Amino acid sequence: MGMFAGKVGLVMGIANDRSIAWAMTEALVAEGAELSFTHLPSPSSERRVRQLVDPLQPKVLLPCDVQKDEDIDRLFAAVGHAHGGLDFLIHSIAFAPPQELRKPYLECSREGWHLAMDISAYSLVAVSRAAAPLMSEGGAIVTISYFGGEKVMPGYNLMGVCKATLEHTVRYLAWDLGRSKGIRVNAISAGPMRTLSSAGISSFDEMRDHAVRKSCLPRNVDPKELGTTGLYLLSDFAGAVTGEILHVDCGYSIVGL
Ligand code: NAD
């Protein structure tokens, strides 16, 4: 019996089999978790996600655009109805218009800034607030960040500012939800992975090469290692860990070179 047997989770942010949320799903399923899922409200997104998750026979697979409160309300009502509660939530979502990422941060538009912040940072507030009433026994929430939220990574630009906001959002949510409901909130700061999202970052290949040259472990992170870190943060082994940004980056972030 796996260590997540009898536990119910919601995974938000699978686009395809390269998604970090999918790596976390595979790890959780191997440990016996029962999962529900979301996809972007488009036929192609639904088709790709459905193909991956259908074999898991999820009780809930619904469209959710995190910019829409009505999508979030409908999703969590369905999860409550289907499962009666929730033990954990994975938020693995970010977006910025590609043209905004190609510009220096100085040049980002007001509209692009608001859109990127809404999807990449505010969404964690919105979904955590919706999930909390379903987590009556305490619970755990994990989101995914990047080192570009702590230090300037040329090319990461507007998304770096979103990640800084996301990381401090993790801390404030950890306070609010820890005090009120015993819910833990943490982030994984992941090393660079080739995914749909990372394709929008012009300096991405350079980031990956640089990570290999500079990291304590001279290689890039394996997606499976994000999955197993997710297991740890969502499990009772991390029962006293909250408000934490855990770097899973082969030690890249501790080197000052
Ligand atoms: P991905 O493209 O597979 O996942 C991003 C997800 O965000 C997609 O599933 C997409 O549907 C979802 N999304 C975008 N806009 C949305 C909206 N309005 N409503 C709901 N969902 C929306 O790429 P990924 O690399 O797996 O990204 C997952 C998370 O990991 C992101 O927060 C990303 O910033 C972060 N991250 C990625 C890397 C990397 O190198 N790939 C490194 C560190 C952190």
Side-chain angles (χ1 to χ4, degrees), residues 8-226:
V8 172
L10 174 65
V11 180
M12 303 183 74
I14 297 177
N16 56 36
D17 62 356
R18 307 193 88 154
S19 296
I20 292 172
W22 180 246
M24 298 178 83
T25 295
E26 289 190 304
L28 284 158
V29 167
E31 289 298 331
E34 181 174 4
L35 301 176
S36 281
F37 301 93
T38 61
H39 58 80
L40 272 183
S42 78
S44 60
S45 172
E46 176 173 3
R47 197 178 53 250
R48 274 196 302 268
V49 177
R50 200 172 272 289
Q51 233 167 26
L52 283 172
V53 307
D54 262 356
L56 307 176
Q57 299 181 305
K59 285 189 177 153
V60 177
L61 170 59
L62 279 177
C64 181
D65 178 344
V66 291
Q67 288 197 282
K68 296 191 176 141
D69 288 332
E70 60 273 24
D71 281 16
I72 295 173
D73 292 346
R74 194 180 51 231
L75 169 67
F76 284 90
V79 170
H81 185 69
H83 294 289
L86 201 56
D87 296 297
F88 61 87
L89 169 68
I90 293 174
H91 170 280
S92 185
I93 289 172
F95 179 79
Q99 69 274 18
E100 297 289 347
L101 291 177
R102 282 195 288 272
K103 295 188 253 191
Y105 182 63
L106 179 68
E107 304 296 339
C108 71
S109 69
R110 191 186 297 272
E111 199 188 5
W113 194 95
H114 279 290
L115 177 69
M117 278 288 173
D118 189 17
I119 297 177
S120 312
Y122 181 76
S123 65
L124 180 64
V125 183
V127 300
S128 297
R129 190 167 57 229
L134 298 179
M135 294 180 168
S136 51
E137 313 274 305
I141 299 172
V142 164
T143 187
I144 316 292
S145 191
Y146 179 60
F147 191 53
E150 294 171 62
K151 301 286 180 193
V152 172
M153 303 287 284
Y156 202 56
N157 305 342
L158 172 57
M159 190 50 72
V161 179
C162 292
K163 291 304 189 195
T165 305
L166 181 74
E167 292 185 7
H168 216 38
T169 292
V170 163
R171 298 183 190 99
Y172 273 92
L173 290 177
W175 170 261
D176 286 348
L177 291 171
R179 285 281 161 152
S180 59
K181 308 256 323 178
I183 296 169
R184 300 180 297 106
V185 187
N186 291 291
I188 293 172
S189 180
M193 302 270 145
R194 278 187 212 290
T195 63
L196 204 58
S197 291
S198 65
I201 297 158
S202 56
S203 56
F204 182 75
D205 286 340
E206 199 186 321
M207 284 168 161
R208 267 179 74 86
D209 293 348
H210 191 247
V212 175
R213 284 198 302 279
K214 184 185 126 172
S215 302
C216 303
L217 307 173
R219 62 174 176 85
N220 281 120
V221 176
D222 186 310
K224 286 194 170 66
E225 294 168 318
L226 299 178

